[in-house]
Amino acid sequence: MDLNGDGHVDLLSGSYSGEGLDEMAGLFQVLWGEGGGIFKKPQVLKGTDNENLIIKPVVSGTTPQRERICTRPTAVDFDADGDLDLVVGNFEGSYYLFRGEGEGKFSPESEKIMRGDKPLITGQHSDPFFVDWDQDGDLDLVSGSVQGGVVMVENLSGEGKEIVFGGSQPLVNFPFGKAERWSDEAPSPGDSTRVWVEDLNEDGKLDVVMGDRSVVLSAPEGMSRQEAKEGVRKVEAEFNELRKTLLTQPSLDEVKAIQEKLVQMGDKRREFMNEKRTGSVWVYLQK
């Protein structure tokens, strides 16, 4: 994207949390392009007040810190005024807007993006991507999430107007698969999905490219796969039964004891398996 309108492609990135801040908050890093595939050193993106650009959460039944961290920005002309704005996803799964003021400068005030009178949320670790999915002339929102799958949120405003979000629909259902699988099982889509939309086969229809996270399990040395699977199954059954006791309104001391046992069961589960974290890229061609 050409963030500052100088004719060169720039690179923009969010972050989980920046260092040296009073509170946890994700910052934005930009590498200004100089042409020919050359970029300047990364620098923290600042607002027009010359302070670090940081989401300022709107507190309304949510945990503010979760909206400040794991920032995932994309540049789009959200308000149709000719300048690129920043739409930012976060850990909570909501979206915030920093309005552009031209030449790569942005208002320091973050605005929570709403769908009617409710915050726009598409799943934790929201990751905005804008494209005219329904081919009606305006830009719709497409996003993955930590839960998996891909969702599209329709823009109701029409071409040349500030984006107004309406209903949503899954493009890839979630949970579509499972993040964990044994090494002898066929791969299936996992969680923590990230998305790109493009007409890959040039048939005039937009297709979805989805990256994910998965965990491949294998039996520890000296243990058969069947023994490992059975051991994991038993621990998980005990774990789920113990979790149910949290619904019986136990005392605070009982809750602490239950939580300690749940942690111990998690450790016990790992005795029956080795974990390898990986991921895949999936292509969904639109019919």
Side-chain angles (χ1 to χ4, degrees):
M1 66 189 72
D2 182 4
L3 200 60
N4 57 2
D6 66 354
H8 301 311
V9 173
D10 309 304
L11 298 179
L12 175 67
S13 175
S15 63
Y16 189 87
S17 182
E19 296 182 356
L21 302 176
D22 293 335
E23 298 181 75
M24 286 185 68
L27 301 177
F28 308 101
Q29 302 281 341
V30 61
L31 286 76
W32 299 113
E34 297 185 321
I38 299 174
F39 297 87
K40 295 180 180 179
K41 292 182 178 180
Q43 55 184 269
V44 175
L45 194 60
K46 298 180 181 295
T48 51
D49 60 355
N50 207 35
E51 299 292 331
N52 293 337
L53 213 57
I54 293 177
I55 291 174
K56 300 177 179 65
V58 176
V59 181
S60 56
T62 185
T63 305
Q65 183 173 296
R66 287 161 60 95
E67 294 195 299
R68 294 167 62 95
I69 61 176
C70 198
T71 52
R72 297 180 178 273
T74 191
V76 62
D77 187 2
F78 189 90
D79 52 15
D81 67 350
D83 297 322
L84 287 176
D85 311 298
L86 295 184
V87 173
V88 185
N90 54 53
F91 190 111
E92 181 73 17
S94 57
Y95 297 87
Y96 277 82
L97 169 68
F98 292 93
R99 294 186 185 270
E101 299 187 8
E103 299 181 348
K105 299 176 182 178
F106 299 91
S107 167
E109 298 303 319
S110 57
E111 303 174 31
K112 194 165 192 175
I113 297 175
M114 309 293 285
R115 176 162 47 187
D117 59 353
K118 297 181 180 179
L120 174 62
I121 296 179
T122 60
Q124 291 179 356
H125 293 197
S126 44
D127 187 44
F129 184 98
F130 285 89
V131 66
D132 185 7
W133 177 263
D134 52 15
Q135 303 291 288
D136 65 351
D138 57 27
L139 294 175
D140 309 298
L141 171 68
V142 178
S143 180
S145 72
V146 74
Q147 287 86 0
V150 178
V151 65
M152 186 277 289
V153 186
E154 184 183 6
N155 178 6
L156 301 178
S157 65
E159 187 175 1
K161 299 178 182 179
E162 180 164 338
I163 293 174
V164 176
F165 289 113
S168 60
Q169 68 178 76
L171 302 184
V172 178
N173 287 317
F174 63 99
F176 186 80
K178 55 183 180 179
E180 286 187 350
R181 64 177 175 86
W182 288 89
S183 56
D184 61 338
E185 297 174 343
S188 62
D191 59 17
S192 297
T193 50
R194 296 293 169 254
V195 63
W196 187 271
V197 177
E198 194 77 46
D199 181 5
L200 295 175
N201 56 0
E202 298 182 347
D203 65 350
K205 300 175 183 177
L206 293 173
D207 309 303
V208 173
V209 181
M210 185 184 81
D212 70 2
R213 179 200 75 103
S214 60
V215 180
V216 180
L217 308 180
S218 59
E221 185 176 354
M223 186 182 299
S224 70
R225 184 178 287 118
Q226 187 59 39
E227 290 172 329
K229 287 184 176 182
E230 182 62 18
V232 169
R233 187 194 66 77
K234 288 182 178 180
V235 173
E236 288 179 344
E238 294 175 14
F239 184 92
N240 291 332
E241 286 300 314
L242 185 58
R243 282 185 63 186
K244 291 179 182 178
T245 61
L246 291 173
L247 303 177
T248 62
Q249 297 183 333
S251 68
L252 182 59
D253 288 339
E254 289 172 330
V255 168
K256 290 180 178 178
I258 293 169
Q259 290 175 336
E260 288 179 2
K261 288 182 180 179
L262 291 174
V263 171
Q264 293 171 2
M265 286 185 178
D267 294 335
K268 184 178 180 181
R269 181 177 183 269
R270 284 187 283 273
E271 295 176 4
F272 293 95
M273 62 187 189
N274 294 320
E275 295 179 318
K276 179 182 179 182
R277 296 181 181 273
T278 184
S280 302
V281 176
W282 304 85
V283 173
Y284 297 87
L285 299 177
Q286 188 174 173
K287 296 181 179 178

